């Protein structure tokens, strides 16, 4: 505009410049790079941009005539006064200093050059400007969104050029944008007069019905290439933008004044641009403050000015997008209800109701965890299926509703839940990493606690559940969806940034795309990592099943199937579940509710059976028999080679696995003690064993027992033909100390076996509440897909116009089909867990459908759809809360029981007899070992729950004796007790011990020095009668004690019959 002028050097103009100082970052150059004059606004900022409109209303000329106001073919100067400035606007023009001596001329812009303002564009009257001198004030009332004027430049050759000049300022300081009609004689717009409103109401004059009107959305913080923000306007929040800003402070479109009481509606989305577009902008375009400080604080004469109101900055400063609705109605038409845009009371109430259920669930989770820690660890994974489904559905709903293209119904619905999930990509990634790191730290502390509790040598026998990866995979599925959404947002935002940077570069602006590339790389790494985990674990599970290293079996005495290693080396406790619930039926009795912690490391045992005839090998649906199990024989051969060598027909013959199914083999599998007996003796001995021993057909040889609580679970059983004993887990370490030279052998069932494959790092795929081992990697992939979809919604709406509908339909129909298929496929064991999964998937489908249906801002079906969505999401949340309460109650119930871990509930067939004519009696066995057995000064004593055919009577002789002599009196205790030597129970039966183990004693003597059993047959008393054996045990110095014991045994025997087993315990009360 201004060329060829001469001005004095800068040092000669310094005095005049001191009279007025303007921050050149708030000024705008009026011509190309060779220009010398810039225009600034006092307490504000100016931009240079093309007009926002591509066409004029039909049948009208521009109101501003030849100036071509608002036309995209004409460059404009747009100035935004600061929000804290007065109603008068002052301009200043300044001559740019290049250090050369020039003639400033009359007005300081150069010889013959004049710069003037045309305050009234309808006249040619001008206000000449003086270089670096503040102009007269131009009034901009608070009810005016903008004012049009012109900037006239007269060159040295007399050529005159008029530049359109617009002054705009949001009428409401609480809003970062303003919307107004150009021709306010046809229509006018205003921000809805409601606190916190986010919609503009445009009202057309009655005489303007059917006419076209230009509407401008002003955005002061969107101007310049350095801007972090851009504004786009669309017919609805999911359609292609009809107007947008890119390095421009405004967006405009042409609309028709509605007729017949109708209305038009648009969504204006203020969106954060990619950081790459602002990283290398020029100094005159750089921001001096944080996000949304679009009226940058300037310093004029040392006085700072204020930008947007603080409450607005606090509300949206951390957001990536802010959405406004623009509604256009005729003058006397009724405004559409704001319920369709900012949410009805019903939607808001529904969101608050769902929030209440979630808070209650979280309280239940914390309470259940506290109770379980204080009392007894319960089935901690019982509520995991419903909790995982509920969290996934809520995460998707929150991410969907927080999207900048979400309809108002979903935005309002998710507002009470927004605290549950971080939606900003950086925060989401940080949150996910923090959660995973925290879990890894807790996992490490649990390992250290186990080592401290069990000794350093326990590191060799670390429980498989403490292997690193077992905890982390479960938690990964809980944070996968927000991580995937963050990765998707980063990748799409980076791509958009690179595309925009390329477009800006093509226009001649130096813009860097480094930030966009880094976002794409970070997002891609995140998504690729999650996808690799899902595919890798799916492939690993498939190979384990194909190689038959993992098999599915029915869990004894509980509903459901479980997966076990073909070769197992650890022993679980006998599974205990809360049992049938009056409200939830068999849910709390299913396998997923069983509590079975690891209690010991054992010698490796191998399943030597075969799958049922006619069922495909390697299928997760194949249910294998529960045995037989034998000692593992390591081999380098594949399963097929072993099968061929041992005669196993893969098509399903009845040859077994090359092993005999004779009575001898069955006997070995039960106790491991039959191999040394003759076949006839073994069969006879086995026939007398109770159903308890028969139903626990796996012999476990304990290598290392873990410490357990006093009321801990049951580890296994040992049995005699007339007695069964349960071994609590806390007794294994004592017994292991006694029999340290030999492994302790006990009977267990298949549900107690544990291996490194199904209980280790991949245990998340083989949890007992899962019927399908592919459920976990499938769940991770589903959450990955939903996260990518939720994070890419803005990108789909703005870029993928043609394929967007296909993507939306795929997500909606896909999740709906999976929701319908879940009860049929049954990935979980119980129907209620499958119901939770199905409801969560259905809520995802409904949420995605609502996201598209409500884009047209329709009121039809709001209550029905939102209500359905909330109910579907609340089902898994409610089931999760119920499971937590049941877990807490169950843990407390176990703690209150006198017997360890509910022996009657844990031990299958407990109390039953092989001969139905005889009933077994529940009692306590006092099992002792002599001091010489373990090298201590006194014998060790262990109390075991037992079930016996004998009628136990526990009596005590207390010392010192009364003057009348010693007397045996009934002992206190809820359960009758009997005394047994440990070898009778724990030493395997053989030819030398077969008959003594089978014969039922009539009495037992117990002192601090030892224990002796008394038999009716003298052959079992070393040729002595039982009375003589009593005298021999006490010796001549304690004849009175022997007489008292004999008298008690005879009296009780005559009273209760020959089935009585009287235990006499001598107690020193001193």
């Amino acid at each position: 505009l201004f060329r060829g002028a001469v001005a004095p050097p800068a040092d000669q103009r310094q005095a005049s410049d001191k009279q007025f100082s303007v921050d050149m970052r708030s000024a705008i150059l009026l011509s190309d790079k060779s220009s010398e004059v810039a225009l600034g606004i006092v307490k504000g900022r100016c931009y240079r941009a093309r007009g926002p409109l591509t066409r004029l209303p039909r049948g009208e000329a521009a109101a501003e005539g030849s100036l071509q106001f608002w036309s995209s073919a004409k460059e404009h100067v747009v100035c935004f006064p600061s929000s804290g400035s007065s109603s008068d606007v002052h301009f200043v023009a300044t001559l740019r200093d290049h250090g050369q001596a020039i003639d400033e001329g009359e007005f300081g812009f150069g010889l013959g050059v004049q710069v003037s303002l045309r305050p009234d564009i309808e006249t040619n009257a001008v206000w000449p400007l003086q270089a670096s001198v503040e102009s007269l004030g131009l009034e901009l009332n608070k009810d005016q969104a903008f004012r049009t004027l012109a900037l006239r430049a007269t060159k040295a050759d007399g050529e005159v050029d008029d530049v359109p000049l617009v002054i705009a300022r949001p009428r409401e300081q609480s809003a970062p944008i303003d919307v107004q009609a150009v021709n306010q004689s046809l229509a006018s717009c205003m921000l809805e007069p409601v606190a916190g409103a986010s919609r503009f109401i445009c009202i057309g004059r009655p005489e303007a019905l059917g006419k076209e009107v230009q509407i401008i959305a002003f955005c002061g913080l969107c101007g310049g290439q350095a801007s972090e923000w851009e504004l786009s306007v669309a017919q609805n929040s999911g359609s292609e933008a009809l107007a947008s800003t890119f390095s421009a402070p405004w967006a405009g479109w042409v609309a028709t004044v509605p007729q017949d009481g109708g209305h038009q509606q648009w969504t204006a989305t203020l969106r954060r641009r990619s950081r790459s577009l602002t990283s290398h902008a020029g100094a005159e375009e750089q921001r001096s403050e944080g996000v949304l400080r679009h009226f940058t604080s300037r310093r004029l004469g040392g006085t700072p000015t204020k930008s947007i109101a603080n409450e607005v900055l606090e509300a949206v400063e951390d957001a990536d997008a802010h959405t406004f609705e623009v509604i256009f109605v005729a003058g006397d038409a009724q405004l559409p209800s704001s319920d369709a845009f900012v949410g009805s009371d019903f939607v808001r109430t529904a969101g608050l109701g769902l929030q209440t259920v979630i808070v209650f669930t979280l309280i239940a989770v914390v309470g259940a965890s506290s109770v379980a820690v204080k009392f007894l660890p319960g089935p901690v994974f019982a509520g995991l299926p419903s909790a995982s489904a509920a969290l996934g559905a809520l995460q998707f709903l929150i991410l969907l509703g927080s999207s900048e293209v979400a309809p108002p119904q979903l935005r309002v619905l998710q507002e009470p839940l927004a605290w549950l999930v971080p939606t900003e990509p950086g925060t989401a990634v940080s949150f996910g990493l923090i959660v995973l790191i925290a879990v890894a730290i807790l996992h490490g502390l649990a390992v250290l606690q186990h080592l401290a509790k069990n000794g350093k040598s326990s590191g060799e026998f670390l429980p498989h559940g403490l292997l690193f990866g077992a905890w982390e995979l479960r938690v990964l599925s809980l944070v996968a969806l927000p991580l995937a959404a963050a990765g998707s947002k980063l990748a799409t935002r980076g791509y958009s940034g690179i595309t925009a940077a390329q477009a800006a570069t093509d226009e001649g602006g130096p813009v860097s795309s480094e930030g966009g590339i880094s976002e794409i790389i970070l997002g891609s790494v995140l998504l690729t990592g999650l996808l690799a985990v899902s595919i890798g674990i799916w492939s690993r599970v498939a190979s384990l099943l194909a190689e038959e290293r993992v098999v599915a079996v029915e869990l004894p005495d509980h509903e459901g199937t479980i997966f076990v290693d073909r070769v197992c080396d650890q022993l679980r406790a006998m599974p205990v579940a809360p049992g049938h619930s009056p409200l939830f039926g068999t849910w709390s009795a299913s396998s997923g509710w069983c509590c079975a912690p690891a209690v010991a490391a054992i010698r490796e045992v191998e399943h030597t059976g075969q799958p049922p005839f006619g069922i495909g090998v390697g299928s997760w649906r194949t249910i294998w028999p529960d045995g037989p199990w034998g000692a593992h024989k390591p081999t380098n051969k594949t399963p097929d080679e072993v099968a061929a060598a041992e005669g196993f027909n893969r098509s399903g013959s009845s040859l077994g696995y090359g092993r005999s199914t004779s009575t001898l083999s069955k006997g070995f599998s039960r106790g491991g003690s039959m191999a040394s007996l003759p076949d006839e003796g073994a069969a006879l001995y086995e026939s007398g064993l109770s159903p308890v021993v028969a139903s626990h057909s796996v012999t476990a040889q304990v290598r290392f027992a873990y410490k357990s609580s006093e009321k801990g679970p049951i580890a296994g059983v040992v049995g005699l033909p007339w007695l069964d004993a349960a071994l609590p887990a806390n007794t294994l370490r004592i017994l292991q100390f006694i029999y340290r030279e030999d492994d302790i052998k006990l009977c267990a069932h298949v549900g107690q076996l544990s291996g490194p494959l199904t209980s280790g790092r991949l245990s998340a795929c083989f949890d007992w509440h899962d019927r399908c081992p592919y459920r976990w990697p499938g769940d991770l992939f589903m959450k990955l897909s939903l996260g990518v979809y939720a994070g890419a919604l803005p990108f789909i709406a703005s870029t993928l116009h043609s394929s967007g509908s296909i993507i939306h339909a795929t997500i909606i129909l896909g999740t709906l089909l999976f929701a319908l298929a879940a009860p049929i496929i049954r990935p979980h064991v119980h129907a209620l867990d499958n119901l939770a999964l199905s409801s969560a998937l259905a809520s995802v489908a409904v949420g995605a459908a609502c996201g598209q249906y409500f884009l047209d801002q329709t009121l039809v079906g709001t209550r029905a759809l939102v209500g359905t969505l909330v109910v579907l999401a609340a089902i898994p949340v409610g089931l999760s809360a119920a499971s937590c309460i049941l877990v807490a109650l169950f843990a407390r119930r176990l703690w209150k029981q006198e017997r360890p871990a509910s022996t009657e509930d844990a031990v299958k067939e407990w109390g039953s007899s092989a001969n139905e004519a005889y009933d077994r009696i529940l009692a306590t066995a006092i099992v002792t070992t002599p001091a010489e057995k373990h090298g201590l000064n006194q014998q060790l004593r262990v109390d075991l729950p037992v079930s016996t055919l004998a009628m136990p009577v526990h009596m005590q002789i207390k010392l010192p004796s009364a003057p009348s002599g010693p007397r045996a009196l009934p002992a206190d205790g809820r359960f009758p007790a009997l005394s047994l030597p440990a070898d009778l129970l724990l030493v395997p039966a053989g030819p030398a011990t077969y008959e003594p183990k089978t014969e039922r004693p009539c009495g037992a003597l117990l002192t601090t020095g030892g224990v002796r059993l008394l038999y009716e047959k003298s052959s079992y008393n070393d040729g002595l009668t039982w009375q003589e054996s009593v005298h021999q045990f006490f010796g001549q110095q304690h004849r009175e004690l022997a007489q008292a014991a004999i008298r008690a045994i005879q009296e009780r025997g005559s009273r209760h019959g020959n089935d009585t087993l009287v235990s006499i315990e001598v107690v020193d009360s001193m």
Side-chain angles (χ1 to χ4, degrees):
L1 290 178
F2 315 110
R3 303 172 185 268
V6 179
D11 55 356
Q12 297 182 21
R13 293 186 286 106
Q14 187 172 5
S16 62
D17 287 346
K18 289 182 180 179
Q19 299 174 7
F20 182 82
S21 176
V22 61
D23 188 344
M24 290 300 296
R25 288 178 298 180
S26 63
I28 184 164
L29 218 58
L30 293 183
S31 62
D32 58 17
K33 297 179 181 179
S34 64
S35 300
E36 302 289 339
V37 178
L39 180 73
I41 185 174
V42 178
K43 297 183 180 180
R45 188 179 183 88
C46 293
Y47 302 98
R48 181 171 146 189
R50 293 190 175 274
L53 297 173
T54 57
R55 72 176 181 89
L56 299 175
R58 289 190 302 268
E60 287 192 17
E64 289 78 12
S66 60
L67 285 174
Q68 293 183 287
F69 260 91
W70 319 111
S71 173
S72 60
K74 183 72 173 179
E75 280 200 337
H76 295 56
V77 175
V78 190
C79 295
F80 291 86
S82 298
S83 60
S85 60
S86 64
S87 59
D88 288 344
V89 180
H90 301 265
F91 288 90
V92 61
T94 182
L95 183 67
R96 206 167 184 195
D97 183 9
H98 290 287
Q100 298 177 355
I102 61 174
D103 187 353
E104 290 184 337
E106 181 181 359
F107 298 100
F109 300 110
L111 188 62
V113 178
Q114 180 178 346
V115 179
S116 308
L117 291 177
R118 286 180 57 189
D120 187 352
I121 58 176
E122 295 182 357
T123 69
N124 284 321
V126 295
W127 293 359
L129 298 178
Q130 184 75 30
S132 300
V133 177
E134 181 179 346
S135 71
L136 297 176
L138 291 170
E139 185 178 14
L140 182 63
N141 296 328
K142 62 179 182 179
D143 57 347
Q144 283 183 282
F146 65 90
R147 177 175 175 175
T148 57
L149 56 157
L151 181 70
R152 171 167 292 181
T154 303
K155 300 181 181 180
D157 58 3
E159 181 182 352
V160 177
D161 189 9
D162 285 337
V163 179
L165 176 61
V166 178
I167 307 172
R169 175 167 53 193
R171 289 165 290 173
E172 293 291 338
Q173 295 185 11
S174 60
I177 69 171
D178 202 354
V179 177
Q180 184 57 285
V182 171
N183 189 348
Q184 296 176 37
S185 64
L186 300 178
S188 62
C189 305
M190 62 175 293
L191 185 68
E192 187 177 29
V194 177
S198 58
R199 70 169 180 171
F200 290 88
I201 308 298
C202 297
I203 302 177
R205 310 298 181 193
E207 61 274 13
L209 297 180
K211 293 184 178 181
E212 287 189 336
V213 177
Q214 299 163 307
I215 300 177
I216 309 295
F218 295 94
C219 177
L221 68 158
C222 300
Q225 291 184 352
S227 172
E228 295 181 4
W229 298 87
E230 61 180 340
L231 180 71
S232 62
V233 181
Q235 188 67 39
N236 52 59
S237 58
S239 62
E240 183 178 359
L242 58 87
S244 63
T245 65
F246 182 79
S247 303
W250 51 19
W253 66 100
V254 178
T256 303
V257 179
Q259 304 182 67
D260 302 327
H263 74 280
Q264 294 188 59
Q265 183 170 325
W266 303 271
T267 299
T269 304
L270 185 60
R271 171 185 301 112
R272 191 192 300 270
R273 292 165 56 192
S274 173
R275 275 37 169 202
S276 63
L277 299 180
T278 62
S279 57
H280 296 281
E284 69 277 4
E285 295 281 351
Q286 286 294 330
R287 302 290 184 190
S288 61
E289 296 185 24
V291 295
L292 283 185
R293 309 252 178 206
H294 61 292
F295 297 150
T296 309
S297 296
R298 303 300 172 199
R299 190 169 62 84
L300 183 61
T303 304
T305 60
K306 182 182 178 182
S307 63
I308 302 178
N310 290 334
E311 59 270 17
V312 180
L313 295 174
E314 294 172 358
V316 296
E317 188 174 32
D318 294 329
D320 277 339
H322 195 68
T323 304
F324 298 86
E325 306 298 332
V326 181
I327 299 97
F328 195 8
V329 297
D332 54 355
Q334 183 178 359
L335 282 175
S337 172
S338 62
D339 293 348
F341 313 104
V342 297
S344 66
D345 291 339
F346 173 80
V347 176
R348 187 174 291 105
T349 302
L352 292 173
L354 189 57
Q355 180 194 40
T356 303
V357 176
I358 294 172
V359 171
F360 176 79
T361 302
L362 292 177
I363 294 175
V365 170
V366 174
S369 302
S370 302
V371 172
V373 169
K374 181 178 180 180
F375 295 113
L376 187 73
V380 292
F381 295 136
L384 190 58
S386 54
S388 177
L391 188 59
L394 293 173
Q395 288 172 341
F396 181 78
L397 176 60
I398 294 169
L399 292 170
L400 194 67
S402 62
S403 172
E404 57 217 56
V405 296
Q409 288 90 335
L410 293 182
R411 289 203 304 271
V412 173
L413 183 63
Q414 67 85 31
E415 284 176 359
L417 315 174
W419 54 271
L420 197 61
V421 180
T423 57
E424 200 278 325
T427 306
V429 173
S430 301
F431 174 78
L433 292 177
I434 290 173
V435 169
L436 291 173
I437 292 173
V439 170
I441 292 175
L442 291 176
H443 192 170
L445 293 176
V447 172
L448 294 177
Q449 182 185 27
H450 174 83
L451 296 176
K453 182 178 180 181
N454 293 277
K456 295 181 179 179
S457 60
S458 62
E460 181 183 354
F461 307 100
L462 192 69
H464 298 314
L466 290 180
L467 293 178
F468 281 96
W471 295 20
E472 290 75 10
L473 280 185
R474 291 186 175 90
V475 176
L476 178 62
S477 68
L478 301 180
V479 299
L481 204 155
L483 284 178
S488 177
K489 281 185 179 180
L490 289 172
T492 55
R493 192 168 70 185
Y495 176 81
S496 299
I498 291 177
T499 304
Q502 184 62 43
T505 302
D506 293 342
E507 294 179 1
V511 181
S512 172
S513 60
E514 293 180 2
I517 294 175
S518 62
E519 288 181 332
I520 290 180
I521 293 175
L522 178 58
S524 300
V525 168
L526 196 58
L527 296 178
T528 303
L530 292 174
L531 182 61
V533 171
S534 176
I535 296 176
I537 291 182
W538 183 291
S539 301
R540 178 61 173 161
V541 170
S543 66
L544 293 177
L545 293 174
E547 297 170 4
E548 296 183 357
R549 298 175 64 186
V550 171
V551 297
V553 297
E554 294 285 351
L555 180 62
D557 211 29
H558 294 279
E559 177 187 349
T561 58
I562 62 172
F563 291 88
V564 296
D565 289 36
R566 192 77 180 272
V567 178
C568 297
D569 60 356
Q570 289 185 4
L571 184 70
R572 298 176 182 265
M574 289 189 175
V576 182
H580 187 276
S581 169
L583 181 60
F584 299 103
T586 59
W587 185 36
S588 53
S590 62
S591 58
W593 281 78
C594 290
C595 177
V599 295
I602 61 174
R603 300 285 177 185
E604 288 185 338
V605 292
E606 179 181 5
H607 191 294
T608 58
Q610 64 175 355
F613 175 78
I615 299 182
V617 177
S619 171
W620 63 269
R621 294 184 176 89
T622 303
I623 307 300
W624 288 59
D626 60 0
W629 291 81
H632 173 56
K633 299 178 181 179
T635 177
N636 294 327
K637 297 181 179 180
T638 66
D640 288 335
E641 292 172 340
V642 173
E646 300 187 359
F648 178 62
N649 188 341
R650 305 304 291 180
S651 62
S653 70
S654 58
L655 297 179
Y657 201 47
R659 289 168 169 75
S660 171
T661 57
S662 65
T663 303
L664 179 60
S665 294
K666 294 179 181 178
F668 176 82
S669 68
R670 285 178 181 171
S673 57
M674 299 297 105
S676 60
L677 295 179
D679 289 354
E680 182 179 353
L684 182 63
Y685 185 85
E686 179 185 354
S687 64
L689 295 175
S690 72
V692 174
V693 178
S695 61
H696 294 78
S697 58
V698 180
T699 298
Q701 303 181 53
V702 177
R703 297 183 61 195
F704 186 90
Y706 307 132
K707 279 189 177 181
S708 181
S709 62
E710 181 180 353
K711 294 186 178 182
I714 301 297
V717 296
V718 291
L720 302 172
W722 57 275
L723 178 142
D724 297 322
L727 295 179
N730 66 311
T731 65
L732 288 184
R733 288 183 68 87
I734 300 176
L735 298 176
Q736 188 179 32
F737 174 74
I738 297 172
Y739 295 93
R740 55 184 178 272
E741 296 181 358
D742 303 304
D743 291 337
I744 302 172
K745 296 182 180 180
L746 50 85
C747 298
H749 61 66
V750 65
Q752 295 180 250
L753 299 179
S754 171
L757 300 178
T758 58
S759 302
R761 292 182 175 88
L762 295 179
S763 58
C765 302
F766 302 103
D767 280 333
W768 284 10
H769 51 65
D770 284 340
R771 180 172 166 267
C772 175
Y774 298 109
R775 198 276 314 166
W776 190 92
D779 178 76
L780 183 64
F781 183 79
M782 175 66 74
K783 290 179 177 177
L784 172 61
S785 302
L786 294 177
V788 170
Y789 171 76
L793 279 175
F795 180 77
I796 295 173
S798 61
T799 306
L800 304 180
H801 309 300
S802 57
S803 58
S805 299
I806 299 177
I807 296 175
H808 297 310
T810 301
I811 292 296
I812 296 170
L813 295 179
T815 51
L816 184 59
L817 288 177
F818 277 114
L820 296 176
I824 301 174
I825 300 176
R826 294 187 297 128
H828 296 299
V829 169
H830 200 269
L832 285 181
D833 291 328
N834 290 318
L835 173 63
L837 177 60
S838 182
S839 300
L841 290 172
S843 70
V844 168
V846 173
C850 288
Q852 300 305 307
Y853 176 75
F854 289 130
L855 287 181
D856 293 330
Q857 305 300 339
T858 178
L859 286 170
V860 179
T862 296
R863 290 178 177 270
L865 287 175
V866 173
T868 301
L869 176 59
V870 170
V871 170
L872 290 173
I875 290 176
V877 176
L879 288 175
S880 180
S883 67
C884 293
I885 295 174
L886 289 177
V887 167
L889 294 177
F890 177 55
R892 187 171 181 270
R893 190 187 81 188
L894 291 182
W895 181 260
K896 282 189 170 183
Q897 290 178 345
E898 293 189 12
R899 285 184 173 272
S902 182
T903 308
E904 293 81 356
D905 295 335
V907 182
K908 185 180 180 182
E909 304 288 350
W910 185 252
S912 61
S913 175
N915 188 343
E916 296 182 359
Y918 297 93
D919 294 330
R920 288 184 175 258
I921 299 174
L922 303 183
T924 298
I926 304 173
V927 180
T928 59
T929 58
E932 61 271 14
K933 183 77 176 179
H934 43 72
L936 299 179
N937 296 328
Q938 60 182 4
Q939 64 181 3
L940 291 179
R941 167 175 168 169
V942 177
D943 293 348
L944 302 179
V946 297
S947 168
T948 176
L949 291 174
M951 178 171 290
V953 177
H954 185 203
M955 305 192 74
Q956 291 181 336
I957 299 177
K958 296 184 177 181
L959 297 179
S961 303
S964 58
R967 183 180 178 184
L969 300 174
D972 298 330
R974 179 179 177 185
F975 293 97
L978 53 90
S979 302
L980 294 175
D983 290 351
L984 183 67
L985 280 175
L986 300 176
V987 174
T993 59
Y994 164 66
E995 290 187 357
K997 284 177 176 289
T998 305
E999 184 69 19
R1000 187 188 312 165
C1002 63
L1005 304 175
L1006 175 64
T1007 67
T1008 56
V1011 63
R1012 174 172 293 189
L1013 294 180
L1014 306 174
Y1015 295 91
E1016 292 287 350
K1017 292 182 180 181
S1018 59
S1019 58
Y1020 301 135
N1021 298 321
D1022 296 330
L1024 303 174
T1025 64
W1026 69 266
Q1027 293 89 346
E1028 293 172 341
S1029 182
V1030 172
H1031 282 286
Q1032 185 188 59
F1033 180 78
F1034 285 107
Q1036 292 295 328
Q1037 67 272 28
H1038 298 298
R1039 292 180 58 85
E1040 293 183 350
L1041 293 178
Q1043 291 294 337
I1046 292 173
R1047 187 166 52 249
I1049 294 174
Q1050 290 175 336
E1051 290 177 356
R1052 293 295 173 176
S1054 62
R1055 182 180 304 177
H1056 298 290
N1058 295 331
D1059 293 334
T1060 304
L1061 197 165
V1062 182
S1063 295
I1064 305 297
E1065 180 182 8
V1066 179
V1067 180
D1068 189 353
S1069 59
M1070 294 296 292

